[in-house]
Amino acid sequence: MKKRFISMFVWMLFTAAVLTAGGQEEAKDEKTELTFWHTFQDAQQAAAVQEIVDLYMEKNTDISVEVTVWDGDQAKTVFGPALATNEAPDIMYTMSNDEMLGVFAEAGYVIPLEDAYEKYGWDDILPAHTKTSCYKNDRLYGIGHELDILGVYYNKVIFAECGLEVPEDYDEFLNVCEVLKENGYIPIAFANQNGWPAYHQQSFFYNNIVGKEQLHKDMFEAGSFDRPEYVESIEYFLEWIEKDYVIPDTLSVTYNDGNAMFNTGKAGMHTTGLWAFNSFYDALGDDIGFFQFPQIKDDKPAINPGGIGSCFTVTSNCENPDLAFDFLDFLISSDVAEIWLSGSIIPGVHLTDQQVDSYAMPPLFRDIVKAVNSPAGFGFNVDIYMTAEVNEVTLNVLQEAIAGKKTAEQVIAEIDAAWQISK
Amino acid sequence: MSAGNRNPDGYVFILPALILYVLFMFIPMIKTVLISFQDWGGSGTVKVWVGIDNYIRLFTDIIFWKAFLHNVIWVIFTVVVPLIIGLILANILNGKVKAKIIFRVTYFLPYILSLVVVGIVWSWIYNPIFGNLNSFLTSIGLESLACGWLGNENTALLSLLVVGSWTAFGLCMVIILAGMQSIDPVVYEYCTLEGGNSFQKFFYITLPMLKNTLASLILFLTIGSMRVFDLVYIMTKGGPYHTTETMATYLFTKAFRNNEVGYGASVAVFLTLFVLMISFFYTRYINKKDA
Amino acid sequence: MSKLKIPTAEQIIKYVILIFSLFVSIMPVLWIIFAAFKTNMQIYENPFSFPPNLYLENFKTAWTQGRMGRYSLNSVIVAIPATSLAVFTSLLAGFGFSKLKFYGQRVFYFIIIIGLMMPTQAYIIPLFFTVIKYNLTNTYMGMILPRAAFGLPFSIFFANSFFLDIPDELIDSAKMDGTNNFQIFFKLMLPLSKPVVSTLIVLNFIWSWNELLIPLLFVFKDKMRTLPLGLMYFKGDYMIDYALTAAAVAISMVPIIIIYVIFQRKFIQGLTSGALKG
């Protein structure tokens, strides 16, 4: 009996100790502090960011920057509410879409940056397209970063084995798929349990069939998706499913598992973006190649969706915005471009081919960086610019189409309906 | 209750618990009801009173009713199946069995595991590429049955229901067994003397005498099934395209992902009222039968 | 009567059912534990099997780099106070409701019992914004207090049922001796309530240990995460290290399993005595 009370008493003591000790203790430094949250969760990427931050602190010894790395998924749920507390960071790296930056801007959690742009001359070093998605209600709230390009990664060894060459147009692309399939490989490592990989496939087809110009009009000038070209795009996409060119049971396979299929040499191609580059390269090294999505229509040049997805923002919680701007100026300058590139992140700052050639990086990555920096540019990554409602509908309706429950017409009808309501 | 004068001491005893409860549960409950009459985008945005608009939207929201249906299916499946398995196992263990304690301890194990753990473990089992289930089916020649369990609308919900039942059957067994063990063995002996066999004993003695235990168990499981969230969220997030959506996951998505807090709150209120209603009528029904 | 050496058909069937159910209960858990001791290659080759050799790297990595050590610590720091608070306050309240008389007693009890019916989702939304407003996010308090509160309806109900069964005469005679209610509670009731205490402690501890929703919403700093949350986000970056994840899962499971095995007899006793009252 006594034992029980003693143990209970110990528990109580422990409880009391914890309750009175409080949460965390923050060491108070003499230095001015900046807090910086980002979502570069990949180990290599996070290391690159930290290297840049350390460099900044070396140059500015009276400033200390506290970095917090976030899981991208949790960030979606939590960044918003976090901004309402006094724990909000000074600088936040966030997605520039409607659900994140749009909400933050409307709630007044982030401050406009037009003056900073002018003061630091960011317009001179950053291409105009890095700003497009950062405008909300005609005010500019973010500095676009992390250029991405969606394209086709392919396994050179498998291609050689099957006697295949990089396709020059879409018909050849389909042929490549067919040959891969015959040889027992998965042609395209597309896995859609998460739902969002389908966005990217949709973007490929929209840009190449509808064309960048029309797409621009419909997205930014509040047009309509109710056009035959959009329906055609979806049909082209669904053709992959019908012909079994993707991972079997694609709706049950997670994006990670899909990558695993590519990385273990089971799939010939993977149509996705740069964010997973490190995992491909670590697994397959120079056995991977990259090519742009092939031309589909004679009158529409081949173009890959790309651009920025996320941006740096300064929150209204920041006590010292000028300091934040100074830090950001350093972060996006070409001085540190090489460090970003070492983490396989393409910074927004414009780079010449010579600069790119001078940096150390895998040759494959170099090709991609040059492609991104080329004047031809890239197409739109549709889901970045769409509203939350449209994205939600798109995700579900594409899954239904993949399962054969909806036709391309139905898909477009539903997406357009959501767009008309929410634009 | 001892006859005596009313004593303010009572307040002191209940105060700590009451404060905690009111602060962290009761007041939020009231607030939820209030929010359900508003249109709110979350922190920092403006709250707008919209009266019963959210509820009107609720009644015509197909996805919500799909979620509701899934909850009903969930209740039926994950109450009936564990209960039956629990009855069978408890009945066996009530007799002469060796090493009872090993069985008792292991059957209950799935119930105490964190649902995150359960979700991860079973996601592996269901994995279409290297999961145990498909490997097993292939190895015994039933390769045609192997499919993408969690991504196929025809199998997703069922796959989750199996997991739900897996976590609960041990609980049922343990509670039913305890109930059985409180039945006086004399009654069984009398039945044997009268020439009764195992079946009759079970259906005419055991079951009726377990009525209260079963009733409580059914209510407990039902409430749990109406509220199910963790398992679904971890394994499918309500997908593919809402075929495993439940009211709780829908509520969560609306309030915390889509920034439609008011609407999410209305789902919460509906869910609560529904559970209250079921509990109320069920308890009345059980008590009536007793009288 | 001597036992027959040859089992009857009925007996065989019984044992088959029992053992099959045993297999079903425990195999999923065992598979993960086995996987934790293998390398990824070994898992790939043979997912079901017993590990060929006990590969410990996964555990080491999970504990340190994977921060499972940190998450476990956080889970402990949250679970113990939450459990103590919940159990102690509900014993007090249970006694108050069952043995004492005061105005509004029924009303208060009813208000608390509603909490049994309410799904968590009914109150989690405003609670989320309240926690944010009072800056309780990323604090231990922010996890302990709500978690303790959530355990109250059932714990109070349970304690109340138990105390109701204690004969009033016991208390009356103590009162005649002149002891006040507080002394009665601490000296008489608590010692008697051993069965319920075990059950309530184990239950509340398990609930707290397995709690996902609270940390999911109230904690976003990695160093404050508890096990279920840490586990949920335990993924490689665009690649899954299955062996590592298995080790993390194993680490999450072991404490609960140990506590359960130690306390299971008292725990089930207490649980079922309460359940029989309905």
Side-chain angles (χ1 to χ4, degrees), chain A residues 12 49 52 213 250 294 328:
Chain A
M12 295 293 193
V49 177
I52 298 177
E213 248 184 80
T250 185
L328 285 174

Side-chain angles (χ1 to χ4, degrees), chain C residues 148-160:
Chain C
F150 291 177
L152 286 177
F154 182 82
S155 304
I156 294 179
F157 166 75
F158 202 69
N160 184 54

